[in-house]
């Protein structure tokens, strides 16, 4: 099961060099295969963009550079694959860091202002897909939390809420403080997630539709990082979703946060 990218490079007036880039999109099936060694997965995922970058630059250096259109097309691929590599390395490093020993840095935070400032950074992506983001958070929501870890969680959930949303869709961000805990939920009007996939999306490298997720530039690591961060913050994450309607991801945290719980 393979995704192919074929490029024709004019060598001279009569000959073309045909370059095919093959992506293995075989769906990982069954629990045993899903538990495949993390290192194996990592090296496979890293090799794909590296192979593309090496292959395309090599062809450019061998003469493809002379043709302006080819040069642009190849450089675009090299650039996109470099971005993907960066995203992958960042996610892998986040997982490695949290796996070793999560350090917490608890401080007081106004949830309303925090979400407003995060949403600002997503403005270009929201505008590009014409997604309307609605905030339902009181101005007085003060919580104690590790700001940078929560930021990572919220960034990932909002990013997915945009990536897997439809053009012209909606996003609702809602937060509330209760007696002993507080929650934050992000609801989208996207593809939705089937019941039997709702747990699996938190597994490392799991993607529902590999070609669709690849198009969206996903690494398949985002939600596993989110899950680890939420755990480090003594919280929990839940998803409610309906295919074709949308998804709601809710994170819940205790009101009493201690530095570095054992
Ligand atoms: P990725 O980097 O591929 O987005 P994630 O770990 O963030 O990886 O998500 C795993 C998979 O779960 C995604 O590939 C996508 O298929 C699915 N998914 C995540 N969030 C959503 C959402 N809000 N709506 C629909 N599908 C989602």
């Amino acid at each position: 099961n393979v995704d192919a990218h074929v490029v024709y490079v004019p060598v001279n007036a009569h000959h073309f060099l045909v370059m095919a880039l093959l992506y293995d999109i075989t769906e990982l099936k069954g629990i045993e295969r899903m538990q495949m060694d993390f290192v194996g997965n990592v090296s496979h995922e890293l090799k794909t963009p590296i192979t593309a970058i090496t292959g395309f630059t090599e062809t450019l250096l061998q003469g493809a550079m002379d043709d302006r259109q080819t040069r642009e097309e190849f450089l675009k691929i090299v650039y996109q694959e470099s971005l993907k590599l960066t995203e992958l390395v960042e996610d892998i490093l986040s997982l490695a860091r949290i796996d070793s020993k999560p350090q917490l840095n608890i401080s007081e935070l106004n949830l309303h202002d925090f979400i407003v400032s995060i949403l600002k950074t997503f403005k270009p992506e929201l505008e590009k897909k014409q997604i309307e983001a609605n905030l339902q958070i009181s101005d007085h929501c003060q919580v104690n939390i590790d700001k940078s870890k929560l930021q990572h969680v919220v960034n990932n959930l909002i990013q997915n809420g945009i990536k897997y949303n439809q053009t012209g869709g909606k996003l609702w961000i809602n937060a509330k403080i209760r007696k002993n805990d507080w929650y934050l939920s992000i609801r989208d009007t996207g593809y939705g997630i089937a019941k039997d996939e709702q747990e699996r999306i938190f597994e490392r490298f799991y993607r529902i539709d590999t070609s669709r997720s690849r198009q969206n530039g996903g690494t398949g690591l985002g939600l596993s990082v989110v899950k680890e961060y939420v755990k480090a913050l003594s919280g929990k994450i839940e998803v409610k979703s309906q295919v074709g309607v949308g998804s709601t991801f809710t994170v819940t945290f205790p009101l009493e946060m201690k530095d570095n719980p054992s």
Side-chain angles (χ1 to χ4, degrees), residues 127-150:
E127 276 173 4
K128 199 168 159 206
K129 273 188 99 169
Q130 292 155 35
I131 293 171
E132 184 191 303
N134 299 290
L135 201 61
Q136 295 162 317
I137 306 175
S138 136
D139 297 353
H140 313 293
C141 271
Q142 295 283 130
V143 295
N144 290 316
I145 194 92
D146 183 313
K147 187 178 165 186
S148 82
K149 290 204 171 48
L150 183 67

Side-chain angles (χ1 to χ4, degrees), residues 31-240:
I31 283 285
E32 276 159 44
R33 291 209 64 191
M34 277 314 298
Q35 286 170 340
M36 219 160 61
D37 186 11
F38 181 59
V39 176
N41 270 329
V42 167
S43 50
H44 171 84
E45 294 291 325
L46 289 176
K47 270 182 198 156
T48 313
I50 290 172
T51 307
I53 292 168
T54 318
F56 281 102
T57 40
E58 209 171 24
T59 318
L60 276 170
L61 290 171
Q62 281 164 359
M65 198 120 83
D66 302 339
D67 181 72
R68 189 170 175 269
Q69 205 184 334
T70 313
R71 192 168 63 221
E72 273 184 23
E73 193 181 342
F74 278 25
L75 284 177
K76 224 182 248 172
I77 297 171
V78 169
Y79 178 63
Q80 276 158 3
E81 295 296 323
S82 315
L83 288 183
K84 194 171 150 194
L85 200 54
T86 309
E87 200 186 341
L88 257 169
V89 170
E90 275 169 7
D91 280 350
I92 292 165
L93 288 178
S94 300
L95 279 173
R97 251 180 251 126
I98 205 104
D99 274 349
S100 55
K101 197 172 186 283
Q103 282 288 324
L104 294 185
N105 191 0
I106 308 293
S107 62
E108 199 179 13
L109 181 95
N110 181 289
L111 270 181
H112 179 273
D113 299 349
F114 174 71
I115 300 291
V116 167
S117 73
I118 290 183
L119 272 177
K120 271 192 195 141
T121 66
F122 282 102
K123 206 166 167 245
E125 286 168 68
L126 288 164
E127 276 173 4
K128 199 168 159 206
K129 273 188 99 169
Q130 292 155 35
I131 293 171
E132 184 191 303
N134 299 290
L135 201 61
Q136 295 162 317
I137 306 175
S138 136
D139 297 353
H140 313 293
C141 271
Q142 295 283 130
V143 295
N144 290 316
I145 194 92
D146 183 313
K147 187 178 165 186
S148 82
K149 290 204 171 48
L150 183 67
Q151 189 158 1
H152 199 107
V153 168
V154 175
N155 269 332
N156 259 288
L157 295 178
I158 293 181
Q159 188 148 53
N160 282 349
I162 298 172
K163 257 187 343 191
Y164 303 109
N165 212 327
Q166 47 184 315
T167 305
K170 282 196 170 149
L171 204 63
W172 288 273
I173 303 167
N174 181 6
K176 211 167 205 158
I177 297 181
R178 294 186 292 213
K179 201 165 159 237
N180 300 314
D181 62 7
W182 62 274
Y183 71 83
L184 186 127
S185 72
I186 291 150
R187 182 176 141 212
D188 66 59
T189 51
Y191 300 118
I193 304 152
K195 196 108 204 134
D196 58 335
E197 313 247 42
Q198 288 175 12
E199 248 179 66
R200 303 200 64 187
I201 53 171
F202 296 99
E203 291 170 14
R204 293 175 184 192
F205 293 114
Y206 190 79
R207 284 178 281 213
I208 294 177
D209 175 334
T210 33
S211 55
R212 184 175 75 196
S213 299
R214 203 183 294 282
Q215 254 175 31
N216 280 310
T219 63
L221 283 176
L223 284 178
S224 43
V225 177
V226 165
K227 190 178 146 195
E228 295 299 332
Y229 274 37
V230 169
K231 198 170 114 197
L233 294 167
S234 312
K236 63 173 185 181
I237 181 158
E238 284 165 305
V239 57
K240 283 204 175 89

